[in-house]
Amino acid sequence: MSRLERISFAKRLATYPNALTLPHEPVVEGRLIRMVGLTLEAEGCKAPVGSRCVVISDTPQGGRTQIEAEVMGFSGSKIYLMPVDSLQGVQPGARVVPSKGGGKLPMGNAMLGRVVDGIGRPLDGKGDFKADDWVDLNGPVINPLKRHPIDETLDVGIRTINSLLTVGRGQRLGLFAGSGVGKSVLLGMMTRFTEADITIVGLVGERGREVKEFIEQILGEKGMARSVVVASPADDAPLMRLRAAMYCTRIAEYFRDQGKNVLLLMDSLTRFAQAQREIALAIGEPPATKGYPPSVFAKLPQLVERAGNAEQGGGSITAFYTVLSEGDDQQDPIADASRAILDGHVVLSRRLAEEGHYPAIDIEASISRAMPQIVSDEYLQKAQQFKQLYARYQQSRDLISVGAYSAGSDPLTDKAMEKMPEMQAFLRQGLQVKVNLPDSQKSLEQLISHE
């Protein structure tokens, strides 16, 4: 950069303190020159990465199709775009026009009780809603040193979690399991039982029929009145699924900034990662870990870190993310990366589910990292004693089942055998049964103290 260019750039920065804000420039249209898979290549269009464009094609019938797309990358004078919706009707040489709207999304109290897609369009057939505000997809970043610490318990209505994996308000937990083990059912129980001012539900990349079932059978009319559902089923474009996850997080941030205690439920974090993988591979990013490009592992913390407590005196976002462990492999790349960035994990066991033990929570493999800060030392010790007895029985389970264990060989194993029926009954809970936090902890103390 020459001296004159440096002086000119310095003057622009002085005039526009935000370095990303530049003087308004005329819109420069481009033309679509190539389409490979889901990726569009355009030339002649000036648009930065992350901005929105509209791809306009004339139809043979004399009509016109308009498809929104987002700029994902560039090479020289070419830009790469990813569509939000179906590409049907797009033709060679279609016009590519940068959007002036900046991609702002609707927000407000009118969204309560509504079902929307990843860009805020209603899906429930109730017509449009009046937005109180229009916001960017990415919310403001909170200084981590200014966040209010997790120091208050949250009642989720599930005895096992309340007593052995106590959750704090503003905590972020993952529900880890393979397919068909009960993640969505457990998420639904939390939706009905957890105490929160507002519930935000993100159904990202799941089966389409689950959206209606979740709303009617799990949320119900009463639960839906204080909830917002953002749905993007598996047949949506990957960018729409990606946006849906980010949008429901942005909605949660909006209500948190109003001082509300928000419950954010996302099903699932894995589908969010898979959507980003599809996008990254389509624009040419090389795969790194079991087919996942590096950008996937960069996107996960960017999404998850937005949840949590606000500054002192503000609201909170308590988040639960389901994580699909492919083939029940807990070392799956997404499961492993998620465990590292979440504040705890609840692992569901296929063996317990096959035995009819619901919720199928594997307490040996599960942990709440915030629990030591929000319960007393005496209670924490009792919870650890419960886990110790349960783990000792599982270690000796095969010997006990074939009659090879001799009573009296190990006092701790003897006590575990004696307590096991009570512990199994304690860990089971009906789908419609709510057990509050005080009752859960009292039951555990009685079970451990009783000789």
Side-chain angles (χ1 to χ4, degrees), residues 9-21:
F9 185 68
K11 288 181 178 178
R12 289 166 67 189
L13 286 182
T15 306
Y16 304 94
N18 182 351
L20 298 179
T21 303

Side-chain angles (χ1 to χ4, degrees), residues 147 150 165-174 176 304-305 307-309 317-321 337-346 366-374:
R147 282 185 185 266
I150 300 173
L165 308 166
T166 310
V167 178
R169 193 176 297 279
Q171 193 173 349
R172 301 159 303 186
L173 280 92
F176 292 73
V304 171
E305 284 295 324
N309 287 329
I317 301 175
T318 306
F320 291 92
Y321 303 92
S338 301
R339 267 196 307 272
I341 58 178
L342 293 170
D343 301 324
H345 47 272
V346 179
S366 305
I367 190 173
S368 171
R369 294 176 179 170
M371 185 175 177
Q373 285 78 44
I374 56 178

Side-chain angles (χ1 to χ4, degrees), residues 274-325:
Q274 290 174 347
Q276 174 60 25
R277 176 174 65 179
E278 291 179 44
I279 294 171
L281 293 176
I283 63 176
E285 188 178 349
T289 307
K290 291 188 178 180
Y292 286 97
S295 63
V296 172
F297 303 100
K299 282 280 187 182
L300 285 174
Q302 290 175 9
L303 180 74
V304 171
E305 284 295 324
R306 291 166 62 180
N309 287 329
E311 298 182 9
Q312 184 74 32
S316 67
I317 301 175
T318 306
F320 291 92
Y321 303 92
T322 63
V323 181
L324 178 63
S325 303

Side-chain angles (χ1 to χ4, degrees), residues 77-402:
S77 60
K78 299 178 184 178
I79 61 172
Y80 301 113
L81 303 107
M82 188 66 60
V84 173
D85 292 315
S86 170
L87 285 171
Q88 188 170 356
V90 173
Q91 298 179 355
R95 294 167 56 203
V96 180
V97 183
S99 174
K100 297 179 181 179
K104 291 188 178 294
L105 297 168
M107 206 70 65
N109 291 322
M111 299 183 72
L112 295 175
R114 303 300 302 269
V115 184
V116 298
D117 65 5
I119 55 177
R121 296 178 302 197
L123 296 176
D124 49 14
K126 297 180 180 179
D128 295 333
F129 57 87
K130 184 178 180 181
D132 298 334
D133 199 0
W134 291 82
V135 300
D136 292 323
L137 190 58
N138 296 309
V141 178
I142 300 177
N143 186 329
L145 298 181
K146 293 184 178 180
R147 282 185 185 266
H148 185 70
I150 300 173
D151 56 6
E152 183 182 353
T153 58
L154 180 70
D155 187 354
V156 299
I158 298 171
R159 183 167 46 231
T160 302
I161 298 178
N162 277 342
S163 57
L164 298 169
L165 308 166
T166 310
V167 178
R169 193 176 297 279
Q171 193 173 349
R172 301 159 303 186
L173 280 92
L175 304 180
F176 292 73
S179 57
V181 183
K183 297 187 305 299
S184 298
V185 174
L186 184 60
L187 203 67
M189 293 175 69
M190 292 181 179
T191 306
R192 293 193 303 272
F193 301 153
T194 303
E195 297 176 352
D197 297 327
I198 292 173
T199 302
I200 311 297
V201 181
L203 301 176
V204 180
E206 298 299 321
R207 295 180 289 274
R209 69 170 179 82
E210 288 186 337
V211 178
K212 188 176 180 66
E213 290 178 1
F214 194 95
I215 293 170
E216 294 182 354
Q217 300 178 13
I218 296 177
L219 273 178
E221 186 177 349
K222 184 178 179 181
M224 193 63 198
R226 63 181 181 94
S227 302
V228 181
V229 177
V230 181
S232 180
D235 58 346
D236 275 356
L239 184 59
M240 180 66 85
R241 283 177 267 143
L242 198 74
R243 281 195 187 180
M246 299 173 71
Y247 188 27
C248 66
T249 304
R250 186 68 184 93
I251 296 171
E253 289 177 320
Y254 177 83
F255 287 109
R256 178 189 62 187
D257 293 343
Q258 295 181 354
K260 305 288 188 181
N261 291 317
V262 182
L263 175 65
L264 172 63
L265 307 170
M266 188 178 296
D267 189 10
S268 72
L269 196 62
T270 304
R271 305 303 185 195
F272 168 80
Q274 290 174 347
Q276 174 60 25
R277 176 174 65 179
E278 291 179 44
I279 294 171
L281 293 176
I283 63 176
E285 188 178 349
T289 307
K290 291 188 178 180
Y292 286 97
S295 63
V296 172
F297 303 100
K299 282 280 187 182
L300 285 174
Q302 290 175 9
L303 180 74
V304 171
E305 284 295 324
R306 291 166 62 180
N309 287 329
E311 298 182 9
Q312 184 74 32
S316 67
I317 301 175
T318 306
F320 291 92
Y321 303 92
T322 63
V323 181
L324 178 63
S325 303
E326 297 183 5
D328 292 328
D329 180 16
Q330 295 302 321
Q331 304 307 317
D332 172 79
I334 300 303
D336 195 45
S338 301
R339 267 196 307 272
I341 58 178
L342 293 170
D343 301 324
H345 47 272
V346 179
V347 179
L348 303 186
S349 166
R350 187 173 298 277
R351 176 183 62 81
L352 291 174
E354 291 171 349
E355 294 176 357
H357 184 294
Y358 289 102
I361 299 174
D362 184 353
I363 62 168
E364 294 179 275
S366 305
I367 190 173
S368 171
R369 294 176 179 170
M371 185 175 177
Q373 285 78 44
I374 56 178
V375 300
S376 65
D377 293 339
E378 294 77 12
Y379 180 80
L380 184 63
Q381 186 177 5
K382 286 182 170 59
Q384 291 171 344
Q385 288 175 4
F386 184 102
K387 287 187 175 184
Q388 186 180 22
L389 287 174
Y390 188 87
R392 180 57 63 93
Y393 181 88
Q394 297 301 328
Q395 292 167 7
S396 307
R397 178 174 177 160
D398 293 339
L399 293 174
I400 296 170
S401 61
V402 300

